Amino acid sequence: MNALLTLTLVIGIIWFVPLVCRKIHVPSIVGFILAGIVIGPSVLDLVGETPALQILGSLGMLYIMFQSGSEIDLNDMKEHRKNAFVFGLYTFFIPMFLGLITSHYLLGYNWLTSLLLGAMYGSHTLMTYPIVSRYDVHSSRPVNIVIGGTVMAITLSLLLLASVEASIVNGHWEMSTVIKTLCLLTLLGGVIMWLFPKIAQWVLKRYQDPVADFML
């Protein structure tokens, strides 16, 4: 299928699936996953891995991340940061360790491959956040802790994946890759938490254009 037909099919599913899910009292995210399996290579093979579909998938994930981020109260996050930190450590290291052991001893992979799989098991996402937002409980204490823990788990998973990738490419463990990634993450966090709010505040005070304000 060309890009236009793929886009038409995806938009049709986005419109139709929630209507059906609402009738049978199933979360929309479940319907979207099942619809993706049906139209994908495993069943009907209507849509494959195309650049257009990859862009749509990335935009969908970015929208969910943006939606959850825009509704988070940073003061609440700061209040629960210790609990979120501990929750993130638990939810990353327990699946990672279990994935590492089972991949090596049950599946027979080497330690580096097992560590790669463990890092994947330790990561989780905010895919179900739209459901939480719909029920208007996104500002509650448990949700804030889970979101903070998810950020923690994803960060640890990315660090581990980066170090494993460097080890595979270079043939040995690259601690410098972990340090470099940590430095870049620190710089990115500083830009997001300190610099960008100041720029946004200056722009919103100086310019009064609804479209520009919305895009910012």
Side-chain angles (χ1 to χ4, degrees):
M1 295 178 69
N2 62 39
L4 184 59
L5 284 175
T6 300
L7 181 62
T8 303
L9 179 61
V10 170
I11 291 176
I13 289 174
I14 291 173
W15 173 79
F16 181 71
V17 166
L19 299 178
V20 176
C21 291
R22 197 173 298 117
K23 291 288 185 181
I24 60 177
H25 304 289
V26 172
S28 296
I29 190 69
V30 176
F32 287 135
I33 292 173
L34 292 176
I37 294 172
V38 170
I39 68 173
S42 301
V43 184
L44 299 179
D45 198 19
L46 296 177
V47 176
E49 283 292 330
T50 63
L53 200 63
Q54 290 174 358
I55 291 173
L56 286 172
S58 298
L59 286 175
M61 286 300 300
L62 287 171
Y63 174 73
I64 292 174
M65 293 165 65
F66 173 78
Q67 183 187 29
S68 59
S70 65
E71 294 177 351
I72 293 172
D73 190 328
L74 288 179
N75 293 321
D76 290 339
M77 289 290 293
K78 290 178 181 178
E79 183 181 350
H80 306 306
R81 62 182 180 274
K82 291 182 179 179
N83 292 328
F85 180 78
V86 173
F87 180 78
L89 291 179
Y90 276 127
T91 54
F92 172 75
F93 280 108
I94 292 176
M96 190 276 290
F97 180 74
L98 291 174
L100 175 67
I101 297 301
T102 55
S103 297
H104 182 71
Y105 289 105
L106 295 181
L107 301 179
Y109 294 121
N110 60 46
W111 283 111
L112 199 59
T113 304
S114 300
L115 192 61
L116 182 67
L117 290 171
M120 293 169 60
Y121 296 148
S123 175
H124 46 91
T125 71
L126 296 172
M127 281 294 291
T128 55
Y129 185 83
I131 301 173
V132 175
S133 179
R134 191 175 69 222
Y135 287 105
D136 199 27
V137 294
H138 54 272
S139 60
S140 64
R141 180 174 178 268
V143 173
N144 276 285
I145 292 174
V146 168
I147 292 173
T150 299
V151 172
M152 181 75 186
I154 291 174
T155 303
L156 290 171
S157 180
L158 289 174
L159 282 172
L160 190 54
L161 287 171
S163 59
V164 169
E165 180 186 7
S167 302
I168 293 173
V169 172
N170 300 317
H172 59 277
W173 187 266
E174 285 283 346
M175 191 63 190
S176 59
T177 303
V178 180
I179 296 173
K180 178 183 176 182
T181 308
L182 276 172
C183 293
L184 290 173
L185 282 172
T186 304
L187 178 63
L188 178 63
V191 169
I192 292 172
M193 300 298 293
W194 181 78
L195 182 60
F196 184 75
K198 292 184 179 298
I199 295 174
Q201 189 177 26
W202 181 82
V203 171
L204 291 174
K205 284 182 178 180
R206 191 177 181 88
Y207 301 101
Q208 300 295 325
D209 182 73
V211 176
D213 291 350
F214 173 77
M215 294 305 297
L216 181 63

